[in-house]
Amino acid sequence: ANIYVKLGRFEEAIGEFTKIIENFNDDIWADDANFLIAKIYDENLKNKDKAMEFYQKQLTNYLGSMYSVEARK
């Protein structure tokens, strides 16, 4: 997924990160994947509404995440 981001293939990256969330939701990688989806929507695709949806999920679903502070911004 990170390779897709570096290549500018953001929709494909989101698809791969989504698979991580679906298959490993209780794993530490799931909160990383969710946060990176939010950042892609926010910074690369300029879709603030969709980014906010994933930032909100970050705060709701991954309470102890190291990304919680940044997601609140």
Side-chain angles (χ1 to χ4, degrees):
N2 286 322
I3 292 170
Y4 284 134
V5 172
K6 289 181 183 190
L7 294 173
R9 295 165 61 178
F10 303 116
E11 295 294 340
E12 290 167 285
I14 289 169
E16 294 301 315
F17 286 131
T18 299
K19 288 178 190 175
I20 292 170
I21 294 168
E22 290 171 350
N23 294 313
F24 306 101
N25 194 39
D26 294 331
D27 194 274
I28 191 169
W29 297 110
D31 73 315
D32 291 358
N34 186 82
F35 185 75
L36 291 170
I37 290 172
K39 283 191 72 153
I40 290 169
Y41 278 120
D42 193 10
E43 297 174 5
N44 302 108
L45 299 178
K46 307 298 184 202
N47 184 336
K48 301 297 182 188
D49 291 335
K50 199 71 171 166
M52 189 60 70
E53 176 185 325
F54 281 90
Y55 286 134
Q56 189 63 41
K57 284 181 186 179
Q58 192 74 30
L59 297 173
T60 305
N61 297 345
Y62 308 104
L63 299 174
S65 172
M66 65 182 188
Y67 299 113
S68 294
V69 173
E70 194 169 341
R72 282 189 179 93
K73 295 177 186 179

